[in-house]
Amino acid sequence: MAGTRVGNGNGSAKPVAQRLLATATRLFAEQGYDRTSVQEIVDAAGVTKGALYHYFGSKDDLLHEVYGRVLRLQQERLDHFADADAPVEQRLRDAAADVVVTTIENLDDTKIFFRSMHHLSPEKDKQVRAERRRYHERFRALIEEGQRAGVFTADIPADLVVDYHFGSVHHLGTWYREDGPLSPQRVADHLADLLLRALRP
């Protein structure tokens, strides 16, 4: 449809919203969220401010979407693992490993967001916290299912187990390097195995 795609300089085109988001992500990473203006984003994306405000109501909508697209992917995949026809131990392990892999694969987006989330409006901040809470609650439900079945120890509160695993996930941005000795899947396997060991009765 006319007006929905723009060229990227090499003969191909991207949807405007996708191009704006990619441009904003790059600029936020290079300059910082607070030092990047809306004008710089639209100039670099080759669109007008009107086009930006058509897809994103404000600059913090862009910041919210940087993380939101990762969280939506992770929620969709968690729901898939949680609903699978497999023993609860396997479903939890798959979910625990997957969140590590998807975080590493989107590490720049995640780092940008956590570095800049204090710039979000109170409404957006509340929305993000609700989205993350929904994810953590679904993950916790798997732990609680295993505890009720006697597969996992009930001595450790499920909330603490969730904090333990996601503390490791959120810390990935401080140490993981693409050219390091561990692949994303290897890191995921190690952390998932640590989680399962901690839960054994």
Side-chain angles (χ1 to χ4, degrees):
M1 188 164 60
T4 63
R5 301 179 76 88
V6 293
N8 65 5
N10 62 5
S12 61
K14 282 185 180 180
V16 173
Q18 181 183 342
R19 185 170 177 78
L20 281 164
L21 192 58
T23 302
T25 301
R26 176 175 59 80
L27 291 174
F28 293 163
E30 291 174 357
Q31 304 175 178
Y33 172 84
D34 54 332
R35 292 188 296 277
T36 301
S37 69
V38 167
Q39 190 62 55
E40 286 177 294
I41 294 169
V42 298
D43 286 348
V47 301
T48 64
K49 279 188 179 180
L52 185 147
Y53 291 125
H54 175 74
Y55 294 101
F56 304 98
S58 61
K59 192 172 78 162
D60 78 333
D61 278 351
L62 281 163
L63 178 60
H64 177 239
E65 183 59 17
V66 165
Y67 184 60
R69 59 184 173 179
V70 178
L71 192 54
R72 284 193 300 274
L73 168 69
Q74 291 176 332
Q75 183 71 59
E76 180 181 331
R77 292 176 65 81
L78 173 58
D79 289 341
H80 168 75
F81 291 123
D83 293 335
D85 183 18
V88 66
E89 186 171 5
Q90 184 62 51
R91 286 182 281 138
L92 180 63
R93 191 194 185 286
D94 290 343
D98 184 73
V99 72
V100 174
V101 171
T102 52
T103 295
I104 291 174
E105 288 176 345
N106 297 279
L107 205 53
D108 285 344
D109 291 359
T110 305
K111 285 193 290 188
I112 289 167
F113 181 79
F114 282 111
R115 191 170 63 215
S116 307
M117 68 178 293
H118 62 282
H119 291 293
L120 288 175
S121 67
E123 180 184 346
K124 282 287 187 300
D125 181 70
K126 184 178 179 181
Q127 185 179 343
V128 167
R129 291 179 189 279
E131 291 165 349
R132 287 175 62 190
R133 186 164 55 250
R134 176 173 174 256
Y135 183 93
H136 287 177
E137 286 173 352
R138 190 78 203 267
F139 194 92
R140 184 185 66 204
L142 282 172
I143 297 166
E144 291 171 336
E145 179 186 341
Q147 289 176 326
R148 287 192 300 270
V151 177
F152 302 146
T153 180
D155 294 340
I156 308 172
D159 281 333
L160 189 59
V161 178
V162 172
D163 288 343
Y164 165 77
H165 187 65
F166 285 94
S168 299
V169 172
H170 296 156
H171 191 59
L172 287 167
T174 66
W175 69 268
Y176 183 81
R177 297 293 177 269
E178 189 176 343
D179 58 353
L182 296 173
S183 69
Q185 189 60 57
R186 194 74 176 138
V187 175
D189 288 339
H190 284 317
L191 291 180
D193 286 343
L194 284 170
L195 177 66
L196 268 294
R197 283 178 201 160
L199 282 169
R200 284 181 190 142

